[in-house]
Amino acid sequence: MNLVIDIGNSLLKLGIFRKNIQENYFEFRSNYLENVRAIINSNSIDYSIVSNVSSECDNLINLLSNETILIPFNSNLKIPFKNNYQSKDTLGHDRIALVSSSIKHYPDENVLIIDIGSCITYDFVNFKNEYVGGAISPGLSMRYKSLNTFTNNLPHLNPKKISYLIGKNSSESIHSGVINGIVFEINGLIDNYINEFND
């Protein structure tokens, strides 16, 4: 079995795969080392790979190196696309993994990949399986937090589902600005990509 780990800015996401079929999925906000150790101890893991865009996780890497055959996620990793990004070394592991997956599922097509996490990333792969680039913008929680951090009077709110455009008070206005702002941003970028790449 294979262990695939994605360490983001907020969560560690972990999948257990057998012959490219995902058998289990877990998410952890803390205690990465203990949780991964427990999973390794209760499963017969042969190989592992880690995508890490967060802080260093040396203890976790050491555990995986000792208990599995760890495949390094670095610039030597064989990827199924041509990377045309100008600063190749700065392209995050998470984005490389997303682009690789898009090639597997949509080969020889123009693909816009949108990933909503701590940041919202937009990645574009053309029909020649070339990674062209994309965009990075603040994610949902970051937008709420920044309104509170960089102003004197706006409260820090937790995200909530809304169905209105016009806020009738400060809280509603913050929710409308953040939620609708993300929706309009995503729809606007999709429209612009469609206008530039009609397929």
Side-chain angles (χ1 to χ4, degrees):
M1 285 196 287
N2 299 323
L3 191 64
V4 178
I5 298 176
D6 175 23
I7 304 172
N9 293 301
S10 305
L11 290 172
L12 180 144
K13 295 160 287 238
L14 183 151
I16 299 174
F17 291 80
R18 185 191 307 269
K19 295 183 180 177
N20 293 329
I21 304 295
Q22 183 174 306
E23 293 193 346
N24 272 306
Y25 176 79
F26 303 91
E27 289 183 353
F28 304 111
R29 289 194 180 277
S30 59
N31 302 321
Y32 295 169
L33 187 64
E34 294 82 5
N35 287 314
V36 173
R37 180 179 282 121
I39 288 169
I40 289 173
N41 290 339
S42 60
N43 294 275
S44 178
I45 304 295
D46 300 307
Y47 293 90
S48 63
I49 190 167
V50 179
S51 163
N52 183 12
V53 298
S54 186
S55 58
E56 290 295 322
C57 293
D58 292 338
N59 291 336
L60 179 59
I61 298 299
N62 289 338
L63 171 70
L64 295 169
S65 295
N66 292 331
E67 300 293 330
T68 70
I69 298 169
L70 177 64
I71 300 168
F73 203 126
N74 57 33
S75 58
N76 296 322
L77 188 66
K78 185 177 178 184
I79 54 176
F81 61 92
K82 181 179 179 188
N83 187 352
N84 288 337
Y85 208 47
Q86 287 182 353
S87 54
K88 291 175 177 52
D89 293 339
T90 67
L91 186 61
H93 293 172
D94 53 340
R95 296 172 78 189
I96 292 170
L98 287 167
V99 172
S100 297
S101 180
S102 78
I103 299 294
K104 177 181 164 104
H105 293 288
Y106 305 100
D108 309 317
E109 294 184 39
N110 289 327
V111 180
L112 175 62
I113 305 146
I114 303 171
D115 183 37
I116 303 175
S118 297
C119 293
I120 302 172
T121 59
Y122 303 86
D123 293 291
F124 183 72
V125 181
N126 67 22
F127 67 95
K128 300 178 200 173
N129 295 332
E130 297 172 328
Y131 176 71
V132 180
I136 303 171
S137 71
L140 182 66
S141 295
M142 197 179 293
R143 292 176 195 225
Y144 276 105
K145 186 175 181 180
S146 69
L147 287 173
N148 173 251
T149 301
F150 298 109
T151 66
N152 289 323
N153 297 316
L154 294 180
H156 181 259
L157 301 178
N158 291 317
K160 68 182 273 187
K161 185 175 181 179
I162 63 167
S163 59
Y164 54 83
L165 178 63
I166 300 171
K168 303 271 172 63
N169 56 52
S170 292
S171 294
E172 286 185 0
S173 294
I174 290 170
H175 288 305
S176 177
V178 171
I179 302 297
N180 290 318
I182 289 174
V183 170
F184 297 151
E185 173 188 307
I186 291 172
N187 286 333
L189 274 164
I190 290 170
D191 288 344
N192 278 277
Y193 273 92
I194 288 171
N195 287 336
E196 190 162 341
F197 306 95
N198 58 12
D199 181 13

